[in-house]
Every structure is written in structure tokens, then in C-alpha cells.
Amino acid sequence: MQVNKGVNLNIIKEKKFKTINIAIRFKADFKAQILANRILISNLWETSNKNLTSNRDLDLKLSDMYGATFSTRVAKKGKKHLLTINLSLVNPALVNDNNLLEEALNFLKDVIFNPLVSESGGLMSFDRETYAREQKNLIKYLEASVEDRSYYASQRLTSLYFTDENMKLPSSATAELVREEDRFTTYNYYQKMLKEDLVDIFVLGNFDDQTEDFLKESFKKFGFTDRLDYVDVRSEAQTYFYKQELNQVEVYEEDKPANQSIIEFAYNLPVYFGDSLYMALLVYNGLLGAFAHSKLFMNVREKEGLAYYASSSIDSYRGFLRIKAGIEASKKDRVIFLVDQEVEAMRLGDFSQDDLEQTKKMLETSYKLAQDSAGNLIEQAFIRGEFPGLYKNQEIWLKDLWSVTREDVMKVAELVSLQTIYFLKGDDLDAQED
């Protein structure tokens, strides 16, 4: 139901959990100009607000709510940026506390609508001391993340592969972008975000009809307003999906101090969530590099002994396949040859029926395990709301999975086009020992 134009409340009754899980998600177009402010807002939410002015106050409040857990996160999904607040608390019925749910909603209301602010020269801003500390900490964190060679290599491949400047960036922004903001610009953006972002609220748990009515009435009065110029585009998948033209294959190499080298491959793979070949895409990735029995792991790592790890992953909102491996620098050319060989083998259908069946079984197991996660059920509800024509319920999902044929997987493999190879050359362990 809509509690305001562009603000949707999704109540999910689920008996298997002993907790109530609440998620409030703000959605906007993914643009470089907004990333720093949104990650700063995410951090400020976790730090303080007008009524709970320090981390200690926040922690004590969560402790008072029977050890509730509170977190925020940012994420990228295709051409959208998602900023989410999560609160998990014990089901009030289990602790005989009829006020707990209302207390939790008031906590969230303070987080969102009563930030810790100050006034200077007639201008409102986030509290100077708090903002300065969080901005400094965030810059240090983002600068330090570059020292994580795996993260660095991943980001470098992303920035080299995508032609759209926005798509090159991580959802958590960069130190340079964060440095450009101040407490006034972030506060001004926050006011705009509160008015314009599309919002999805999810409440998942085991509760009765009376509690459901309470939730509906509470969120109607929560503080959100109708979104400006609201247009419902939920059924338009193109607002999410990013597509890119094919380019010449580019190879990049960079020297960095590291104990091992990392090689990553970017492929254009234009199969998107909900496409007719989407389930075959999942099987393709499972066969190629998602599992321990996959071709990359078995042949590049186990059989040839050329990699510390070798795997593949897909981004079905951006038509993107990534292969990565941790290797010794001297083995680079051999690894490139073998990865190309395995990708070609997929195109030729060179995989056993046993591997095909095992991959489907692994995917089914992963899917069923995910049903025991409250967070995953909320994500499924989000996808169902965003793509009502593309979402599959469990029965159909499993039926379509087991209907995938060898020929379907080969059709996916035909669409795979190598675009970029990035090699981070580190120091070989053998060389260090010598």
C-alpha cells in the first residue's frame, strides 16, 4: 500500500522468525553527484540524532529495546542507488512488551526526521563536530580500502570496462567525492532526498491483524510526504537496466606492492534479470565459476595449479560478467589462455550432464537456504514490487531452473564477449623467498 505518493509500505507476515525486521529504503538514480552525500548520510544516521546525541546513547537505546540491531547500507542495482536503514528487534509478543514496536518506530522516526543539526549565519547544517568526525573517518576508510588489493583490482576493472562515468564508481563513493562535500551541502541534499527519493518500507515478522493495522496507521503519520512529480515507473525495467555497446578488447597492466598478482576479465553479457535466458544465465555462471565444482576452479586452480582462487560472477542489471583469479605474475599468459579456453568450452557445450545437474542442485540449495533469511525475503519483496512482471515465485523459479537445457546454456555462452583484461602485477612469493 502507498502511505504517500511514492512511499510504499510492504507488510510481510512470516511465522518462521522470532524477530520483527524493518527496512526503509531510499531509491534514486545512480549519479556521481549524489554518492558522497548518501554515504555520509548513512554514516550520520548510525552515529547520532537530535534525541540520541552520541554513539553511546544510540547503543543504550538499542540495548533497552532488548538488544535490537540497527544498521545502514548503500548499494548499487543497475542504474539505481539504494540507501537502506535496517532495524531488527525481538517480537514484542515474546517479551510481553506491548510498547516495543511503537518504541522502535519512534527510534526510526528520530533517525530519519530528527538529525543532529545546528544553525550558523541563518543556515541549517548537520552538527559541525559530528559531521567533521564522520567525514574524516569516511575519507580515511575509503583511502585505506585501496590497500585491499582485491577491492582495488575489482574497482579498477569496473572503471576500465564501463564507458558511462557514473557506472565506473562504487556505491560508497570515493575519498575525492567525499572531500568535496561539507555539512551544509550534505544537509541541503538530505532535505531534497527526503522529499524526492522513492521510498519502500518493509516490515517482516509474525504478527496479527491488529498489529498490521497499527503499522499502517503509524507509517501514514510517520513524516513522509508525497514525492514531488511522482510517476510510478516500477514496471519499466529500463529504468534499472544499463546497456553498453561492444568495444575493442583492451588489456591493462599495473604494478602494485602485493603478495600475489590478480587478474580480472570483464565480459559483456546482455542477459538481464527476467529475460527468457535469465535462468540459463544462472546455470551458465554456476558451471563456469560460481561453485567449487565449476570449470574455472577445477581446471585453472585444481588441475593446473595456476591460481590461488578462480571464480566468476554476474551483474544481471548491467549485463556484465566478471572472472577473477589470484595468481603468480609469471603465470599470467597461461592463465589468460586457460580462461579463454574455458569460456570457449562453455560456448561449445563442453560440460558434462553430471555437472549440469549438480549446478542446478547447488542453485536450488542456495535458493532454499536463502528462504531462511529475513533480509533475503525482504529483498525478494523489493524485487517483486519493482518488477511485478518479471518476478518468479518459488514454484515457478524451481520449475524454470530445472527446465534449463544444455542448449539454453550454450545460447548464453554465445552472447559472452570479452572486453577488458586488467592485471595487477604483485610480487611473486617464489621471488620473495629467493
PDB file of all heavy atoms in Angstrom, residues 385-406:
ATOM      1  N   GLY A 385       8.096  -6.054  -5.983  1.00  0.00           N
ATOM      2  CA  GLY A 385       7.431  -4.763  -6.142  1.00  0.00           C
ATOM      3  C   GLY A 385       7.965  -3.964  -7.310  1.00  0.00           C
ATOM      4  O   GLY A 385       7.218  -3.283  -8.011  1.00  0.00           O
ATOM      5  N   GLU A 386       9.288  -4.056  -7.538  1.00  0.00           N
ATOM      6  CA  GLU A 386       9.901  -3.285  -8.621  1.00  0.00           C
ATOM      7  C   GLU A 386       9.631  -3.890  -9.989  1.00  0.00           C
ATOM      8  O   GLU A 386       9.485  -3.171 -10.981  1.00  0.00           O
ATOM      9  CB  GLU A 386      11.420  -3.197  -8.388  1.00  0.00           C
ATOM     10  CG  GLU A 386      11.812  -2.422  -7.154  1.00  0.00           C
ATOM     11  CD  GLU A 386      11.413  -0.958  -7.240  1.00  0.00           C
ATOM     12  OE1 GLU A 386      12.004  -0.218  -8.014  1.00  0.00           O
ATOM     13  OE2 GLU A 386      10.463  -0.574  -6.525  1.00  0.00           O
ATOM     14  N   PHE A 387       9.608  -5.220 -10.059  1.00  0.00           N
ATOM     15  CA  PHE A 387       9.452  -5.913 -11.343  1.00  0.00           C
ATOM     16  C   PHE A 387       8.317  -6.933 -11.268  1.00  0.00           C
ATOM     17  O   PHE A 387       8.546  -8.143 -11.341  1.00  0.00           O
ATOM     18  CB  PHE A 387      10.748  -6.638 -11.727  1.00  0.00           C
ATOM     19  CG  PHE A 387      11.969  -5.767 -11.675  1.00  0.00           C
ATOM     20  CD1 PHE A 387      12.880  -5.889 -10.636  1.00  0.00           C
ATOM     21  CD2 PHE A 387      12.201  -4.825 -12.658  1.00  0.00           C
ATOM     22  CE1 PHE A 387      14.004  -5.087 -10.585  1.00  0.00           C
ATOM     23  CE2 PHE A 387      13.329  -4.021 -12.615  1.00  0.00           C
ATOM     24  CZ  PHE A 387      14.229  -4.143 -11.573  1.00  0.00           C
ATOM     25  N   PRO A 388       7.088  -6.463 -11.097  1.00  0.00           N
ATOM     26  CA  PRO A 388       5.983  -7.404 -10.896  1.00  0.00           C
ATOM     27  C   PRO A 388       5.791  -8.371 -12.061  1.00  0.00           C
ATOM     28  O   PRO A 388       5.319  -9.492 -11.858  1.00  0.00           O
ATOM     29  CB  PRO A 388       4.767  -6.477 -10.729  1.00  0.00           C
ATOM     30  CG  PRO A 388       5.177  -5.170 -11.320  1.00  0.00           C
ATOM     31  CD  PRO A 388       6.652  -5.057 -11.092  1.00  0.00           C
ATOM     32  N   GLY A 389       6.190  -7.975 -13.257  1.00  0.00           N
ATOM     33  CA  GLY A 389       6.006  -8.858 -14.410  1.00  0.00           C
ATOM     34  C   GLY A 389       7.152  -9.834 -14.607  1.00  0.00           C
ATOM     35  O   GLY A 389       7.040 -10.761 -15.430  1.00  0.00           O
ATOM     36  N   LEU A 390       8.228  -9.649 -13.893  1.00  0.00           N
ATOM     37  CA  LEU A 390       9.420 -10.486 -14.091  1.00  0.00           C
ATOM     38  C   LEU A 390       9.693 -11.416 -12.915  1.00  0.00           C
ATOM     39  O   LEU A 390      10.441 -12.385 -13.046  1.00  0.00           O
ATOM     40  CB  LEU A 390      10.655  -9.600 -14.306  1.00  0.00           C
ATOM     41  CG  LEU A 390      10.590  -8.609 -15.472  1.00  0.00           C
ATOM     42  CD1 LEU A 390      11.880  -7.789 -15.539  1.00  0.00           C
ATOM     43  CD2 LEU A 390      10.380  -9.359 -16.788  1.00  0.00           C
ATOM     44  N   TYR A 391       9.089 -11.126 -11.781  1.00  0.00           N
ATOM     45  CA  TYR A 391       9.364 -11.904 -10.567  1.00  0.00           C
ATOM     46  C   TYR A 391       8.763 -13.307 -10.677  1.00  0.00           C
ATOM     47  O   TYR A 391       7.646 -13.484 -11.175  1.00  0.00           O
ATOM     48  CB  TYR A 391       8.796 -11.193  -9.348  1.00  0.00           C
ATOM     49  CG  TYR A 391       9.006 -11.932  -8.062  1.00  0.00           C
ATOM     50  CD1 TYR A 391      10.229 -11.878  -7.400  1.00  0.00           C
ATOM     51  CD2 TYR A 391       7.988 -12.711  -7.519  1.00  0.00           C
ATOM     52  CE1 TYR A 391      10.437 -12.576  -6.233  1.00  0.00           C
ATOM     53  CE2 TYR A 391       8.186 -13.411  -6.334  1.00  0.00           C
ATOM     54  CZ  TYR A 391       9.405 -13.338  -5.693  1.00  0.00           C
ATOM     55  OH  TYR A 391       9.609 -14.033  -4.532  1.00  0.00           O
ATOM     56  N   LYS A 392       9.497 -14.306 -10.181  1.00  0.00           N
ATOM     57  CA  LYS A 392       9.005 -15.689 -10.165  1.00  0.00           C
ATOM     58  C   LYS A 392       8.859 -16.140  -8.712  1.00  0.00           C
ATOM     59  O   LYS A 392       9.784 -15.941  -7.907  1.00  0.00           O
ATOM     60  CB  LYS A 392      10.001 -16.630 -10.853  1.00  0.00           C
ATOM     61  CG  LYS A 392      10.317 -16.314 -12.309  1.00  0.00           C
ATOM     62  CD  LYS A 392      11.423 -17.258 -12.810  1.00  0.00           C
ATOM     63  CE  LYS A 392      11.961 -16.828 -14.167  1.00  0.00           C
ATOM     64  NZ  LYS A 392      11.027 -17.040 -15.243  1.00  0.00           N
ATOM     65  N   ASN A 393       7.728 -16.745  -8.376  1.00  0.00           N
ATOM     66  CA  ASN A 393       7.614 -17.321  -7.036  1.00  0.00           C
ATOM     67  C   ASN A 393       8.429 -18.613  -6.971  1.00  0.00           C
ATOM     68  O   ASN A 393       8.997 -19.053  -7.985  1.00  0.00           O
ATOM     69  CB  ASN A 393       6.146 -17.561  -6.651  1.00  0.00           C
ATOM     70  CG  ASN A 393       5.475 -18.576  -7.557  1.00  0.00           C
ATOM     71  OD1 ASN A 393       6.130 -19.467  -8.103  1.00  0.00           O
ATOM     72  ND2 ASN A 393       4.168 -18.448  -7.731  1.00  0.00           N
ATOM     73  N   GLN A 394       8.507 -19.202  -5.786  1.00  0.00           N
ATOM     74  CA  GLN A 394       9.406 -20.351  -5.594  1.00  0.00           C
ATOM     75  C   GLN A 394       9.081 -21.504  -6.533  1.00  0.00           C
ATOM     76  O   GLN A 394       9.981 -22.102  -7.127  1.00  0.00           O
ATOM     77  CB  GLN A 394       9.334 -20.828  -4.142  1.00  0.00           C
ATOM     78  CG  GLN A 394      10.224 -22.051  -3.867  1.00  0.00           C
ATOM     79  CD  GLN A 394      10.365 -22.356  -2.390  1.00  0.00           C
ATOM     80  OE1 GLN A 394      10.344 -21.456  -1.578  1.00  0.00           O
ATOM     81  NE2 GLN A 394      10.520 -23.622  -2.051  1.00  0.00           N
ATOM     82  N   GLU A 395       7.807 -21.808  -6.679  1.00  0.00           N
ATOM     83  CA  GLU A 395       7.420 -22.950  -7.517  1.00  0.00           C
ATOM     84  C   GLU A 395       7.881 -22.735  -8.959  1.00  0.00           C
ATOM     85  O   GLU A 395       8.462 -23.629  -9.591  1.00  0.00           O
ATOM     86  CB  GLU A 395       5.891 -23.123  -7.460  1.00  0.00           C
ATOM     87  CG  GLU A 395       5.401 -24.289  -8.296  1.00  0.00           C
ATOM     88  CD  GLU A 395       3.875 -24.408  -8.278  1.00  0.00           C
ATOM     89  OE1 GLU A 395       3.228 -23.603  -7.572  1.00  0.00           O
ATOM     90  OE2 GLU A 395       3.349 -25.275  -8.969  1.00  0.00           O
ATOM     91  N   ILE A 396       7.620 -21.548  -9.480  1.00  0.00           N
ATOM     92  CA  ILE A 396       7.985 -21.279 -10.875  1.00  0.00           C
ATOM     93  C   ILE A 396       9.504 -21.165 -11.019  1.00  0.00           C
ATOM     94  O   ILE A 396      10.088 -21.647 -12.003  1.00  0.00           O
ATOM     95  CB  ILE A 396       7.288 -19.988 -11.359  1.00  0.00           C
ATOM     96  CG1 ILE A 396       5.772 -20.206 -11.389  1.00  0.00           C
ATOM     97  CG2 ILE A 396       7.792 -19.582 -12.740  1.00  0.00           C
ATOM     98  CD1 ILE A 396       4.972 -18.970 -11.729  1.00  0.00           C
ATOM     99  N   TRP A 397      10.150 -20.538 -10.022  1.00  0.00           N
ATOM    100  CA  TRP A 397      11.618 -20.383 -10.090  1.00  0.00           C
ATOM    101  C   TRP A 397      12.282 -21.752 -10.192  1.00  0.00           C
ATOM    102  O   TRP A 397      13.158 -21.969 -11.036  1.00  0.00           O
ATOM    103  CB  TRP A 397      12.093 -19.636  -8.853  1.00  0.00           C
ATOM    104  CG  TRP A 397      13.481 -19.065  -8.958  1.00  0.00           C
ATOM    105  CD1 TRP A 397      13.825 -17.810  -9.343  1.00  0.00           C
ATOM    106  CD2 TRP A 397      14.713 -19.750  -8.656  1.00  0.00           C
ATOM    107  NE1 TRP A 397      15.194 -17.653  -9.313  1.00  0.00           N
ATOM    108  CE2 TRP A 397      15.764 -18.824  -8.893  1.00  0.00           C
ATOM    109  CE3 TRP A 397      15.034 -21.024  -8.224  1.00  0.00           C
ATOM    110  CZ2 TRP A 397      17.105 -19.153  -8.703  1.00  0.00           C
ATOM    111  CZ3 TRP A 397      16.390 -21.362  -8.039  1.00  0.00           C
ATOM    112  CH2 TRP A 397      17.390 -20.436  -8.273  1.00  0.00           C
ATOM    113  N   LEU A 398      11.881 -22.692  -9.328  1.00  0.00           N
ATOM    114  CA  LEU A 398      12.500 -24.015  -9.336  1.00  0.00           C
ATOM    115  C   LEU A 398      12.133 -24.785 -10.606  1.00  0.00           C
ATOM    116  O   LEU A 398      12.975 -25.491 -11.180  1.00  0.00           O
ATOM    117  CB  LEU A 398      12.063 -24.797  -8.092  1.00  0.00           C
ATOM    118  CG  LEU A 398      12.602 -24.241  -6.767  1.00  0.00           C
ATOM    119  CD1 LEU A 398      12.013 -25.001  -5.589  1.00  0.00           C
ATOM    120  CD2 LEU A 398      14.130 -24.329  -6.726  1.00  0.00           C
ATOM    121  N   LYS A 399      10.903 -24.634 -11.047  1.00  0.00           N
ATOM    122  CA  LYS A 399      10.495 -25.319 -12.283  1.00  0.00           C
ATOM    123  C   LYS A 399      11.321 -24.813 -13.466  1.00  0.00           C
ATOM    124  O   LYS A 399      11.820 -25.609 -14.275  1.00  0.00           O
ATOM    125  CB  LYS A 399       8.994 -25.064 -12.528  1.00  0.00           C
ATOM    126  CG  LYS A 399       8.455 -25.607 -13.838  1.00  0.00           C
ATOM    127  CD  LYS A 399       6.951 -25.371 -13.927  1.00  0.00           C
ATOM    128  CE  LYS A 399       6.404 -25.735 -15.293  1.00  0.00           C
ATOM    129  NZ  LYS A 399       6.860 -24.804 -16.338  1.00  0.00           N
ATOM    130  N   ASP A 400      11.481 -23.495 -13.547  1.00  0.00           N
ATOM    131  CA  ASP A 400      12.252 -22.924 -14.661  1.00  0.00           C
ATOM    132  C   ASP A 400      13.728 -23.288 -14.564  1.00  0.00           C
ATOM    133  O   ASP A 400      14.402 -23.474 -15.587  1.00  0.00           O
ATOM    134  CB  ASP A 400      12.085 -21.399 -14.688  1.00  0.00           C
ATOM    135  CG  ASP A 400      10.701 -20.989 -15.161  1.00  0.00           C
ATOM    136  OD1 ASP A 400       9.928 -21.886 -15.582  1.00  0.00           O
ATOM    137  OD2 ASP A 400      10.388 -19.789 -15.111  1.00  0.00           O
ATOM    138  N   LEU A 401      14.238 -23.391 -13.331  1.00  0.00           N
ATOM    139  CA  LEU A 401      15.639 -23.788 -13.158  1.00  0.00           C
ATOM    140  C   LEU A 401      15.873 -25.179 -13.738  1.00  0.00           C
ATOM    141  O   LEU A 401      16.813 -25.392 -14.510  1.00  0.00           O
ATOM    142  CB  LEU A 401      15.996 -23.759 -11.669  1.00  0.00           C
ATOM    143  CG  LEU A 401      17.361 -24.365 -11.314  1.00  0.00           C
ATOM    144  CD1 LEU A 401      18.495 -23.521 -11.890  1.00  0.00           C
ATOM    145  CD2 LEU A 401      17.518 -24.492  -9.790  1.00  0.00           C
ATOM    146  N   TRP A 402      15.016 -26.110 -13.350  1.00  0.00           N
ATOM    147  CA  TRP A 402      15.228 -27.485 -13.785  1.00  0.00           C
ATOM    148  C   TRP A 402      14.849 -27.693 -15.252  1.00  0.00           C
ATOM    149  O   TRP A 402      15.108 -28.756 -15.823  1.00  0.00           O
ATOM    150  CB  TRP A 402      14.463 -28.448 -12.870  1.00  0.00           C
ATOM    151  CG  TRP A 402      15.175 -28.575 -11.550  1.00  0.00           C
ATOM    152  CD1 TRP A 402      14.881 -27.936 -10.388  1.00  0.00           C
ATOM    153  CD2 TRP A 402      16.351 -29.348 -11.286  1.00  0.00           C
ATOM    154  NE1 TRP A 402      15.781 -28.256  -9.402  1.00  0.00           N
ATOM    155  CE2 TRP A 402      16.696 -29.129  -9.921  1.00  0.00           C
ATOM    156  CE3 TRP A 402      17.137 -30.201 -12.051  1.00  0.00           C
ATOM    157  CZ2 TRP A 402      17.810 -29.746  -9.337  1.00  0.00           C
ATOM    158  CZ3 TRP A 402      18.247 -30.815 -11.461  1.00  0.00           C
ATOM    159  CH2 TRP A 402      18.567 -30.581 -10.113  1.00  0.00           C
ATOM    160  N   SER A 403      14.241 -26.682 -15.868  1.00  0.00           N
ATOM    161  CA  SER A 403      13.907 -26.772 -17.299  1.00  0.00           C
ATOM    162  C   SER A 403      15.061 -26.297 -18.184  1.00  0.00           C
ATOM    163  O   SER A 403      15.000 -26.449 -19.412  1.00  0.00           O
ATOM    164  CB  SER A 403      12.660 -25.918 -17.603  1.00  0.00           C
ATOM    165  OG  SER A 403      11.536 -26.400 -16.887  1.00  0.00           O
ATOM    166  N   VAL A 404      16.095 -25.701 -17.573  1.00  0.00           N
ATOM    167  CA  VAL A 404      17.220 -25.188 -18.370  1.00  0.00           C
ATOM    168  C   VAL A 404      17.944 -26.358 -19.034  1.00  0.00           C
ATOM    169  O   VAL A 404      18.285 -27.346 -18.379  1.00  0.00           O
ATOM    170  CB  VAL A 404      18.197 -24.400 -17.472  1.00  0.00           C
ATOM    171  CG1 VAL A 404      19.465 -24.045 -18.264  1.00  0.00           C
ATOM    172  CG2 VAL A 404      17.522 -23.139 -16.941  1.00  0.00           C
ATOM    173  N   THR A 405      18.199 -26.228 -20.326  1.00  0.00           N
ATOM    174  CA  THR A 405      18.864 -27.297 -21.078  1.00  0.00           C
ATOM    175  C   THR A 405      20.298 -26.902 -21.429  1.00  0.00           C
ATOM    176  O   THR A 405      20.699 -25.745 -21.289  1.00  0.00           O
ATOM    177  CB  THR A 405      18.111 -27.578 -22.390  1.00  0.00           C
ATOM    178  OG1 THR A 405      18.188 -26.395 -23.214  1.00  0.00           O
ATOM    179  CG2 THR A 405      16.650 -27.914 -22.124  1.00  0.00           C
ATOM    180  N   ARG A 406      21.039 -27.884 -21.887  1.00  0.00           N
ATOM    181  CA  ARG A 406      22.398 -27.624 -22.377  1.00  0.00           C
ATOM    182  C   ARG A 406      22.374 -26.557 -23.465  1.00  0.00           C
ATOM    183  O   ARG A 406      23.221 -25.655 -23.505  1.00  0.00           O
ATOM    184  CB  ARG A 406      22.985 -28.929 -22.925  1.00  0.00           C
ATOM    185  CG  ARG A 406      24.355 -28.775 -23.604  1.00  0.00           C
ATOM    186  CD  ARG A 406      24.790 -30.105 -24.199  1.00  0.00           C
ATOM    187  NE  ARG A 406      24.906 -31.104 -23.156  1.00  0.00           N
ATOM    188  CZ  ARG A 406      25.986 -31.297 -22.417  1.00  0.00           C
ATOM    189  NH1 ARG A 406      27.054 -30.545 -22.653  1.00  0.00           N
ATOM    190  NH2 ARG A 406      26.017 -32.212 -21.489  1.00  0.00           N
TER     191      ARG A 406
END
